[in-house]
Amino acid sequence: MGTRGFTLIEMVVTVAVVAVLAAIAVPVAQVTSQRAREGELRLALRQIREGIDTYKRYSDEGRIARPADGNGYPPTLQALVEGVPDARSPGSVRIHVLRRLPRDPFHADPAADPAATWGLRSYASPADAPAPGADVFDVYSRAPGVGLNGLPYREW
């Protein structure tokens, strides 16, 4: 008799091989996804911190007016995007430090305002206990997880 088809043993072996391959592929895909999000976080932190430093440098150079008791750091993250008047060029010239404010890629709510996704540290707060204040000296991720490098995202 010339019947065609697979035996039960051949089917079981095939399903077992596919299951082993899937068990190997899923963790690799999860690590790849986490690594990509961590890359986005690094880039976003670098962009915002460079924007804060540029704002401070412009303030020290006198291009951005600051109050007598101010330290030269931006009052909010939105000031980096919305721009501030150029003190050296009277009129409608504004200094824009960032084109857009990146969001924290680990923040749970994708509809949240990008400025609300970051933790803020003012110049007056200590490094080990960051707290918001009258200015923005630094930003950090409020994500509860730990990165692939072993450091909590909050400490990046």
Side-chain angles (χ1 to χ4, degrees):
M1 238 181 342
T3 61
R4 295 183 177 196
F6 296 107
T7 64
L8 181 61
I9 293 177
E10 290 173 331
M11 292 296 286
V12 169
V13 169
T14 303
V15 169
V17 168
V18 169
V20 168
L21 291 175
I24 292 171
V26 169
V28 170
Q30 289 173 342
V31 169
T32 303
S33 172
Q34 183 177 2
R35 185 171 290 129
R37 289 175 66 193
E38 287 182 4
E40 290 177 33
L41 177 61
R42 276 190 205 91
L43 180 62
L45 286 170
R46 185 177 307 123
Q47 288 174 346
I48 294 173
R49 288 174 175 160
E50 285 177 2
I52 291 170
D53 292 343
T54 301
Y55 187 101
K56 170 70 169 149
R57 187 177 68 246
Y58 288 165
S59 177
D60 291 344
E61 293 172 355
R63 291 188 63 194
I64 296 175
R66 67 175 162 181
D69 62 342
N71 53 27
Y73 288 101
T76 64
L77 287 176
Q78 288 301 332
L80 301 174
V81 178
E82 294 170 357
V84 292
D86 189 347
R88 291 186 182 171
S89 301
S92 62
V93 177
R94 296 183 69 80
I95 297 173
H96 298 274
V97 179
L98 294 176
R99 289 180 186 231
R100 68 171 186 83
L101 187 64
R103 58 179 294 107
D104 184 349
F106 287 100
H107 193 270
D109 184 10
D113 179 47
T117 63
W118 299 104
L120 305 178
R121 175 181 170 219
S122 72
Y123 183 74
S125 72
D128 58 343
D135 57 17
V136 179
F137 177 72
D138 195 15
V139 295
Y140 60 91
S141 176
R142 294 189 293 182
V146 176
L148 294 173
N149 60 1
L151 292 174
Y153 295 126
R154 158 177 208 106
E155 294 178 11
W156 286 26

